[in-house]
Amino acid sequence: MSSSSEVEYPRRILDYMEGFLVSKTLFAACELGVFDLLSQSKQSMRAAEIAHRLKTNVDGMERLLAACVGLELLHVEMIEGEAVYYNAELSRIYLTRSSPKSLFQSIQYNSQTIYLCWHNLTDAVREGRNQYERAFGVSSKDFFEALYRSEEEVLKFMELMNSVWNICGRDVVTAFDLSTFEKICDLGGCSGAIAKQCVLTYPEAMVTIFDLPKVVEMSKKHFVSAEENRISFQEGDFFRDPLPVADLYVLARILHDWTDEKCVELLIKVNKACQPGGGVLLIEALLNEDKSGPLTVQLYSLNMLVQTEGRERSPTEYLRLLEAAGFKDIQVQRTGKLYDTILGRK
């Protein structure tokens, strides 16, 4: 007779093996506009009506909707013998494009870019390098050139980061009291979502977003309005160009893109530019010291392998990088959420 543990373990392996089916179901439902349509309709809808409105096959849509019910993304009820569907609260908040907390763009980026890189994970592990060349036919020597290979890709990546920080930004900018830092530089500030959280939280703060010219252009065009007069921009490459003078430098999900050597190079540059008494704030997903978890961060580290030249790190590993660059009085603040913060002083 099989023990309960023998039954449990194969089920777990099957769940892991079939995990991509869940991802692809979510991706398809978002890309087809299922959650948006149900939100706009403000009432439950039959599968045939949804299929007609979204121009899909009825049978295919019925199967997709049933899977979304199983994933608790949709609810179903029977009315006069027919199934009708409506959004679960989770989907209404995070999967509709109109929601302030929408993860739609993040899901799109995972589906259309990250998923294709992960198709080559085996090769990435064998070779120890990112997979842009195999996935998209572009050189991976400068991975940000590969990442920003077109205006469309720049915007997709920026929308991804904007959706993440719209949800997580306040947690990380309030983990430490940053009110003593009036002049802040957000290095690689992308869409400006972290900068917006800083000026919302700290009334005296002025923030300069420092990023590549193409990113600054897109940020001004799509994300940061001219009315937000406490946020300014400076174009540049933070490895090659002079950095703005500031009291605090924010590096939000920057160091995980790079090797230890490049991280120390950048942090030394930050230290030299930083005002006396100033500091640097790292915002990262942190591994446990023994690398035993969290699982999400372990998977993020694999994602860094297939997409960048960096990796996720433990608090001690970041502390060593900061110390090597001359920072001191280093503190780690866990937020209890996905991203944590580390503050170092000059």
Side-chain angles (χ1 to χ4, degrees):
M1 181 179 290
S2 298
S3 69
S4 60
S5 62
E6 287 175 333
V7 173
E8 177 190 344
Y9 290 147
R11 180 65 259 172
R12 191 185 305 174
I13 295 299
L14 287 172
D15 287 343
Y16 294 163
M17 182 176 69
E18 296 168 354
F20 77 96
L21 302 178
V22 174
S23 299
K24 290 299 285 184
T25 299
L26 172 64
F27 295 164
C30 284
E31 289 170 18
L32 289 168
V34 170
F35 306 112
D36 287 326
L37 176 62
L38 288 171
S39 177
Q40 292 159 10
S41 73
K42 303 188 186 306
Q43 61 184 5
S44 56
M45 297 177 68
R46 295 177 295 108
E49 186 180 2
I50 295 170
H52 174 73
R53 296 277 296 276
L54 298 179
K55 299 180 171 56
T56 74
N57 174 266
V58 175
D59 178 55
M61 181 55 70
E62 285 178 343
R63 299 183 199 208
L64 179 64
L65 295 173
C68 287
V69 170
L71 293 172
E72 300 181 0
L73 301 175
L74 295 178
H75 294 307
V76 63
E77 59 184 20
M78 300 299 292
I79 297 179
E80 296 180 356
E82 275 199 284
V84 293
Y85 301 87
Y86 58 98
N87 281 334
E89 187 73 356
L90 181 75
S91 301
R92 185 189 65 77
I93 296 171
Y94 296 111
L95 301 182
T96 58
R97 293 184 224 208
S98 59
S99 170
K101 294 187 175 181
S102 176
L103 286 171
F104 179 86
Q105 300 299 342
S106 180
I107 289 164
Q108 287 281 85
Y109 192 81
N110 274 270
S111 173
Q112 297 172 8
T113 299
I114 295 176
Y115 196 87
L116 299 181
C117 288
W118 272 72
H119 183 72
N120 301 293
L121 176 60
T122 305
D123 294 305
V125 172
R126 284 198 185 107
E127 299 164 1
R129 63 187 180 91
N130 71 62
Q131 294 299 303
Y132 276 99
E133 198 158 346
R134 278 195 178 89
F136 304 108
V138 295
S139 173
S140 58
K141 289 182 180 178
D142 182 339
F143 73 85
F144 265 100
E145 281 299 315
L147 188 71
Y148 293 157
R149 59 193 176 276
S150 69
E151 187 173 303
E152 179 186 4
E153 288 300 316
V154 174
L155 183 58
K156 281 201 299 187
F157 179 77
M158 293 178 74
E159 287 174 332
L160 159 72
M161 297 312 299
N162 198 63
S163 66
V164 168
W165 296 129
N166 279 344
I167 294 172
C168 305
R170 180 165 176 78
D171 293 327
V172 293
V173 303
T174 58
F176 291 100
D177 180 4
L178 305 177
S179 59
T180 58
F181 302 109
E182 293 185 5
K183 189 181 291 186
I184 299 173
C185 177
D186 188 3
L187 285 182
C190 199
S191 70
I194 288 287
K196 289 179 184 178
Q197 290 293 341
C198 285
V199 298
L200 279 171
T201 307
Y202 303 105
E204 303 302 317
M206 304 287 288
V207 183
T208 300
I209 296 170
F210 186 92
D211 216 318
L212 297 169
K214 66 179 79 174
V215 177
V216 169
E217 179 186 351
M218 296 293 272
S219 189
K220 288 178 178 178
K221 184 177 179 180
H222 296 282
F223 299 101
V224 180
S225 71
E227 286 73 40
E228 295 178 268
N229 55 17
R230 289 165 55 209
I231 298 175
S232 60
F233 292 89
Q234 183 170 323
E235 297 178 357
D237 179 323
F238 48 54
F239 282 114
R240 298 174 185 164
D241 299 314
L243 304 181
V245 174
D247 304 316
L248 178 71
Y249 293 83
V250 177
L251 282 74
R253 300 295 277 160
I254 298 296
L255 294 188
H256 78 149
D257 290 333
W258 305 101
T259 63
D260 286 356
E261 294 75 20
K262 283 196 173 179
C263 287
V264 172
E265 176 189 343
L266 177 57
L267 289 170
I268 288 173
K269 192 171 181 180
V270 169
N271 189 285
K272 288 178 179 177
C274 189
Q275 298 272 53
V280 61
L281 182 74
L282 308 184
I283 300 170
E284 296 287 355
L286 298 178
L287 286 164
N288 297 340
E289 292 293 356
D290 63 0
K291 308 296 175 71
S292 62
L295 174 59
T296 299
V297 187
Q298 292 165 328
L299 295 175
Y300 282 0
S301 203
L302 276 177
N303 190 49
M304 292 300 98
L305 175 63
V306 298
Q307 285 212 94
T308 72
E309 57 186 63
R311 62 190 177 90
E312 307 298 349
R313 297 175 174 91
S314 68
T316 296
E317 287 173 315
Y318 280 115
L319 184 143
R320 288 175 184 149
L321 297 177
L322 288 163
E323 288 180 336
F327 288 98
K328 57 188 179 182
D329 299 329
I330 300 163
Q331 298 172 275
V332 178
Q333 189 68 46
R334 296 279 192 173
T335 65
K337 308 288 180 62
L338 183 54
Y339 300 108
D340 299 305
T341 57
I342 303 174
L343 181 66
R345 299 275 184 167
K346 181 171 178 177

